[in-house]
């Protein structure tokens, strides 16, 4: 049922100091950066096609030529998409902030599968085209190309690495793998891209067709490598060294949920906001090399960072055994789920289960004002509620309304509401809790299918797409 946790305790908005708002980090990168980066990506693809045309690509003399020429084009497109893919996942701050993690993950899948399909088409078309013009069999042409053309054995190894990455990324296979195993295999994509490079340089006509083409391809490979080194390795290493985070406190919130507070140097200089997350490595023994993503569960105060994690496996389970003084390495902050992304004055925060953590931090950072912030906290059972005292205290300070929605999920239809509220329409329920929801930013975090239901309900209640912000706690 819908239960207001704070209705009686709500203070009058007058007298709540607006100065409680913290200014922890920069504003979000504007959404037009997303359009700009997409336009640059398309421009690169078009440039590759124009290089192919300028290099005599349009040669369709006979069927064999036609097939080979299409093989060259698909190979070039596969390469440029693969490199764009590397750039997309290099965590370049402007790109990461413009897109947000959820959108990036969606585009990453789309570009990745497109690049892979084009690569398979490239291999098939080139082999068939060469076999047709030489009058030999497809198998013998394939073997001859691999064994005699420079760089082709490496390219074959690169292809196998990419096949491995793609096969393990198909949803059915992915859910069977532990995250670490999947992630390790996924890193083979870098190997695949690296091993494919030599055959493009040594045998790819289009790489050597003009000085412009050569400079372009070398430049793109260098940019991809540079971005990965700078933003995935160097920046996290510098931040970890600069801030020297250590565990300061460990608080057991419930049998399965633990809060960890970390202290560090010059944390006021870390450009982070409530709602964002880091990849954390706790240097407390074996397994420390595995990074785990956790969102901040408190607004950053310039002295400490705080996370609250639910034990679902070995990485999250170790939170409760951490000892004060343990060194912590960070990658991040990441994510667009922060107040800088807001396009409205008022806010509706909707968190389910442990998805409450970034909502708790956001509630702390958002300005005070009578019901300017409404927080919906969805759990399966009353016992699953965590951080309730903090949430109620914050709600009181901020004049916010907190509503807990408790009950087991509806198995008959996709809904963000529990089964016992199955008679209510999803959008109608949001409107009951926040009648002006269409004029609010809506922040959503929780289990992915549940989040989809909330997002659909928000859209149906009149919230525009740009005012809906989400973060999935899954990869
Ligand atoms: C952006 C983001 C923010 C998150 N914030 C919180 C939080 O504030 N509190 C909380 O309790 N949980 C949070 N999670 C979920 C948390 O990261 C996983 O529960 C945890 O990593 C599980 O690891 P494990 O070793 O305990 O279990 P495992 O058995 O290794 O993993 C269980 C599941 O966790 C996910 N997972 C594990 N490692 C990663 C990773 N490095 N990247 C993405 N997904 C991973 C996978 O879906 C995996 O299937 C967040 C996840 C993401 C992606």
């Amino acid at each position: 049922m819908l239960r207001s946790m704070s209705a009686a305790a709500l203070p009058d908005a007058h007298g709540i100091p607006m100065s409680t708002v913290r200014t922890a980090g920069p504003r979000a990168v504007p959404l037009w950066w997303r359009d700009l980066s997409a336009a640059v990506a398309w421009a690169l693809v078009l440039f590759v096609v124009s290089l192919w045309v300028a290099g005599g690509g349009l040669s369709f003399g006979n069927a064999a030529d036609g097939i080979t020429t299409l093989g060259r084009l698909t190979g070039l497109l596969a390469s440029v998409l693969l490199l764009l893919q590397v750039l997309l996942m290099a965590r370049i701050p402007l790109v990461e902030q413009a897109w947000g993690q959820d959108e990036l993950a969606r585009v990453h899948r789309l570009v990745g599968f497109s690049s892979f399909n084009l690569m398979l088409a490239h291999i098939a078309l080139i082999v068939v085209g060469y076999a047709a013009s030489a009058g030999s069999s497809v198998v013998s042409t394939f073997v001859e190309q691999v064994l005699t053309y420079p760089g082709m054995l490496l390219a074959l190894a690169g292809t196998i690495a990419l096949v491995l990455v793609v096969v393990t990324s198909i949803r059915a296979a992915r859910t069977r793998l532990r995250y670490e195993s999947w992630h390790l295999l996924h890193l083979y994509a870098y190997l695949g891209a690296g091993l494919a490079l030599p055959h493009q340089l040594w045998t790819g006509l289009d790489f050597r067709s003009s000085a412009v083409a050569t400079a372009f391809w070398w430049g793109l490979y260098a940019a991809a490598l540079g971005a990965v080194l700078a933003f995935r390795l160097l920046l996290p290493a510098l931040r970890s060294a600069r801030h020297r985070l250590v565990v300061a406190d460990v608080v057991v919130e419930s049998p399965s949920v633990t809060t960890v507070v970390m202290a560090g140097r010059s944390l006021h200089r870390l450009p982070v906001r409530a709602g964002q997350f880091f990849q954390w490595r706790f240097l407390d023994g074996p397994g420390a090399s595995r990074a785990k993503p956790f969102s901040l569960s408190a607004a950053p105060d310039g002295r400490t960072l705080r996370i609250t994690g639910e034990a679902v496996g070995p990485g999250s389970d170790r939170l409760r055994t951490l000892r004060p003084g343990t060194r912590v390495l960070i990658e991040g902050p990441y994510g667009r789920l922060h107040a800088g992304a807001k396009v409205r004055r008022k806010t509706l925060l909707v968190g389910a289960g442990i998805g409450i953590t970034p909502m708790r931090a956001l509630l702390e950072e958002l300005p005070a004002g009578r019901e300017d912030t409404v927080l919906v906290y969805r759990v399966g059972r009353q016992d699953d509620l965590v951080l309730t005292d903090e949430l109620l205290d914050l709600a009181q300070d901020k004049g916010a309304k907190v509503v807990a929605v408790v009950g087991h999920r509806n198995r008959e239809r996709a809904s963000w509401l529990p089964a016992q509220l199955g008679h209510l329409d999803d959008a109608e329920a949001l409107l009951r809790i926040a009648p002006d929801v269409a004029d609010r930013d809506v922040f959503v975090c929780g289990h992915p299918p549940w989040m989809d239901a909330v997002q659909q309900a928000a859209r149906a209640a009149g919230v525009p797409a740009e005012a809906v912000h989400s973060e999935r706690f899954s990869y």
Side-chain angles (χ1 to χ4, degrees):
M1 55 177 223
L2 296 183
R3 194 169 68 90
S4 171
M5 296 169 72
S6 65
L10 274 180
D12 193 281
H14 301 294
I16 294 174
M18 292 297 286
S19 58
T20 52
V21 185
R22 287 158 214 246
T23 48
R27 274 195 68 77
V29 172
L31 273 179
W32 58 261
W33 262 99
R34 191 185 288 194
D35 301 332
L36 183 70
S37 48
V40 169
W42 278 112
L44 288 174
V45 172
L46 286 178
F47 189 66
V48 165
V49 176
S50 61
L51 281 178
W52 171 77
V53 173
L58 286 170
S59 108
F60 292 98
N62 54 42
D65 276 359
I67 294 170
T68 309
T69 215
L70 283 178
R72 282 171 55 201
L73 179 61
T74 47
L76 291 170
L77 291 175
S79 295
V80 72
L81 290 185
L82 188 61
L83 292 173
L84 284 173
Q85 181 79 327
V86 174
L87 285 168
L88 204 62
M89 297 320 279
R91 309 244 196 229
I92 301 168
L94 278 178
V95 175
E96 199 270 339
Q97 278 302 297
W99 289 83
Q101 286 295 308
D102 288 2
E103 250 327 80
L104 267 186
R106 192 185 62 76
V107 177
H108 175 68
R109 267 185 91 74
L110 189 73
V111 176
F113 280 111
S114 308
S115 168
F116 181 72
N117 291 336
L118 283 163
M119 184 192 76
L120 293 184
H122 162 69
I123 297 169
L125 289 166
I126 288 286
V127 173
V128 170
Y130 274 55
S133 69
S136 51
S137 81
V138 167
V139 175
S140 63
T141 307
F142 177 74
V143 173
E144 189 201 330
Q145 283 189 341
V146 169
L147 294 181
T148 55
Y149 282 62
M152 289 300 284
L153 266 176
L154 293 178
L156 181 66
T159 306
I160 293 169
L162 289 171
V163 168
L164 210 63
V165 172
V166 170
V167 168
T168 53
S169 296
I170 295 166
R171 275 183 225 280
R174 205 175 69 174
T175 48
R176 275 164 219 226
L177 284 174
R178 280 208 59 206
Y179 174 80
E180 280 77 25
S181 321
W182 172 83
H183 190 244
L184 196 66
L185 285 170
H186 217 70
L187 295 181
Y188 279 40
Y190 292 114
L191 191 67
L195 291 175
L197 175 65
H199 99 279
Q200 289 168 325
L201 296 176
W202 292 332
T203 59
L205 289 176
D206 300 273
F207 273 55
R208 296 179 286 120
S209 63
S210 70
V212 176
T214 309
F216 170 80
W217 284 107
W218 273 113
L220 199 56
Y221 266 96
L225 180 67
V228 170
L229 292 179
F231 299 114
R232 293 214 74 153
L233 298 177
L234 201 60
L235 187 61
L238 286 177
R239 283 199 171 141
S240 293
R242 179 178 201 191
H243 299 295
R244 295 191 66 80
L245 280 164
V246 290
V247 173
D249 198 10
V250 178
V251 181
V252 174
E253 305 283 355
S254 80
S256 62
V257 176
T258 306
T259 289
V260 181
V261 181
M262 285 149 285
R265 291 190 315 200
S266 310
L267 282 177
H268 60 286
R269 293 184 185 277
L270 187 64
V272 55
R273 296 197 70 150
Q276 292 193 290
F277 73 95
F278 289 84
Q279 296 278 358
W280 308 87
R281 286 188 176 84
F282 297 98
L283 305 186
D284 63 340
S289 61
R290 293 177 201 137
K292 293 286 165 186
F294 290 103
S295 303
L296 296 182
S297 63
D301 59 7
R303 289 172 291 111
T304 57
L305 296 175
R306 194 188 96 156
I307 58 171
T308 300
E310 181 172 30
V312 296
S316 43
D317 207 25
R318 73 194 303 166
L319 294 183
R320 66 182 54 245
T321 62
L322 290 173
R323 294 272 165 270
T326 303
R327 272 298 308 275
V328 187
L329 306 182
I330 48 169
E331 279 173 49
Y334 299 131
R336 208 184 143 81
L337 193 81
H338 58 76
K342 274 170 67 61
V343 292
R344 299 278 206 263
R345 190 176 66 81
K346 295 186 185 181
T347 314
L348 173 65
L349 305 171
V350 197
I354 200 65
I356 196 64
T357 54
M359 301 301 152
R360 148 75 183 77
L362 277 163
L363 176 62
E364 192 175 357
E365 192 186 285
L366 287 169
R370 189 171 172 80
E371 296 202 3
D372 277 3
T373 305
V374 174
L375 169 69
V376 179
Y377 185 3
R378 172 84 177 86
V379 283
R381 296 170 308 137
Q382 191 99 6
D383 288 351
D384 297 335
L385 291 165
V386 287
L387 309 177
T388 36
D389 289 347
E390 294 183 5
L391 288 169
L392 291 177
D393 288 349
L394 281 171
Q396 187 151 357
D397 283 356
K398 301 278 177 164
K401 176 169 133 184
V402 181
V403 178
V405 182
V406 184
H408 292 294
R409 74 186 153 98
N410 191 335
R411 293 179 191 280
E412 278 165 26
R413 68 175 171 95
S415 168
W416 72 270
L417 293 165
Q420 76 269 22
L421 292 179
H423 58 283
L424 278 183
D425 174 73
D426 274 23
E428 187 191 325
L430 275 190
L431 284 161
R432 275 203 201 179
I433 295 170
D436 57 353
V437 64
D439 297 324
R440 292 176 182 263
D441 281 285
V442 179
F443 287 79
V444 193
C445 185
H447 189 51
W450 175 86
M451 289 174 63
D452 292 341
V454 177
Q455 283 165 311
Q456 275 167 22
R459 298 301 310 284
V463 184
E466 70 271 17
V468 180
H469 318 277
S470 65
E471 191 83 83
R472 279 160 203 266
F473 276 9
S474 66
Y475 67 103

